Amino acid sequence: MKAAIIVFPGTNRERDMRLALKRASGRDPMMLFHREAALPAGLDLVVLPGGFSYGDYLRCGAMAAQSPIMRAVVDFAAAGGHVLGVCNGFQIMIEAGLLPGGLLRNATLRFLSMECRLRVERAGTAFTAQWQQGDCFRAPMAHGDGNYFADNVTLDRLEGEGLVAFRYVDEAGQATDAANRNGSARNIAGVFSANLRVCGLMPHPEDLVDPLMGGVDGLPMFQSLAERLVSA
C-alpha cells in the first residue's frame, strides 16, 4: 500500500498516523507538505491527520481546505482514490466538500479529551474489512468541534444508503445520549462518501495500534486498508 499523509501548519498527529500505517502495512508512508500542488503518482491512499491546522482560525479546517494540496486531494478522490480523514482531517474534508455535513462546537462547549467507544455501522469497506458490522472498539477523542451536524434529509440519506461508518456507543454497544459526549446528530462519529472510498471520523484509531499505547483497538482499520489497497 502506497500512502501519503498530508501535513498542514498545526498538524500534530502525522507521526501517530505514520506509525499506524507502517505497523499495518510494513511500508513507510510519505509525508507531503500543504504547499505541494500535486500528489505523487501511484498512490493508494491519502490521509488527512489530526491536529489544529492553521490554529483552527475561522472554522476548523476551513483554511487548510484552501491549501494547494487539497485541490489535488479532491481530484484524487473524484478519480476514485481512497482518502481517510481523522479529527481535524475530517473537518478539512467537510470544508473541502469531500463529505457532507458540518462539525460544530461540542454540545458541552468544552474541549473533550477522553476515551470513547465506537460501533462499526458498515463492514466490508476498505476501512472496515477487518471488523464485522456491530463490532465495538475503543478510541481516544481530542476535539473541541466534533459535534457532527447535517439536515434531516442528509441524515436520512446517510442512514438509508449505509454511509454512516461509526457511531458513539456505551459499554453495552448502545447508542445512548450519555455515550454521545460531543452531541453529534444520531450519535454519528464517522461517515463514508457515496462510493465508500472516502471516510472521515472524529476519534483517533491511530492512537490505539500497539500494546504500549494501551491496546490495539484501532489497528483493524489500518489492517483493512493494507489488505484492500495493494499497489499493483
Side-chain angles (χ1 to χ4, degrees):
M1 177 176 69
K2 187 176 180 181
I5 300 170
I6 310 300
V7 181
F8 302 92
T11 296
N12 63 16
R13 299 294 182 111
E14 71 274 19
R15 294 181 181 178
D16 306 54
M17 191 62 71
R18 185 176 192 172
L19 174 66
L21 289 167
K22 186 173 183 180
R23 183 173 177 82
S25 70
R27 188 168 182 174
D28 204 11
M30 64 184 69
M31 299 288 189
L32 292 180
F33 200 47
H34 69 113
R35 289 182 179 175
E36 298 291 336
L39 296 173
L43 285 180
D44 301 302
L45 174 70
V46 172
V47 180
L48 306 178
F52 304 93
S53 59
Y54 292 93
D56 283 348
Y57 291 117
L58 299 182
R59 293 181 308 277
C60 296
M63 294 180 70
Q66 304 304 314
S67 293
I69 195 64
M70 283 306 299
R71 301 185 191 100
V73 174
V74 169
D75 290 343
F76 177 77
H82 287 81
V83 186
L84 171 65
V86 175
C87 198
N88 189 225
F90 187 17
Q91 295 164 338
I92 295 168
M93 279 180 163
I94 286 179
E95 291 288 343
L98 287 168
L99 290 171
L103 290 159
L104 309 180
R105 288 292 295 168
N106 296 337
T108 60
L109 301 182
R110 300 178 65 181
F111 189 91
L112 296 174
S113 181
M114 60 188 66
E115 188 175 277
C116 65
R117 290 183 67 82
L118 303 180
R119 187 175 70 204
V120 178
E121 298 296 277
R122 180 162 185 167
T125 75
F127 306 92
T128 60
Q130 290 286 323
W131 282 302
Q132 298 295 315
Q133 185 171 343
D135 282 352
C136 298
F137 64 99
R138 297 177 300 129
M141 63 160 62
H143 57 251
D145 297 72
N147 182 353
Y148 183 76
F149 171 83
D151 61 78
N152 284 329
V153 172
T154 300
L155 291 171
D156 289 344
R157 179 180 64 82
L158 292 172
E159 301 273 14
E161 296 178 9
L163 301 181
V164 176
F166 306 101
R167 223 180 286 270
Y168 297 108
V169 296
D170 61 17
E171 292 284 342
Q174 300 301 307
T176 63
D177 289 341
N180 188 19
R181 294 182 175 93
N182 57 28
S184 291
R186 304 188 189 181
N187 285 58
I188 293 173
V191 297
F192 295 118
S193 61
N195 66 1
L196 303 177
R197 293 182 173 225
V198 177
C199 179
L201 71 160
M202 286 307 299
H204 291 273
E206 76 277 14
D207 286 340
L208 276 181
V209 298
D210 189 285
L212 292 175
M213 294 175 164
V216 294
D217 288 55
L219 189 57
M221 171 175 282
F222 305 99
Q223 292 172 327
S224 297
L225 289 165
E227 172 192 287
R228 293 291 186 90
L229 307 185
V230 179
S231 298

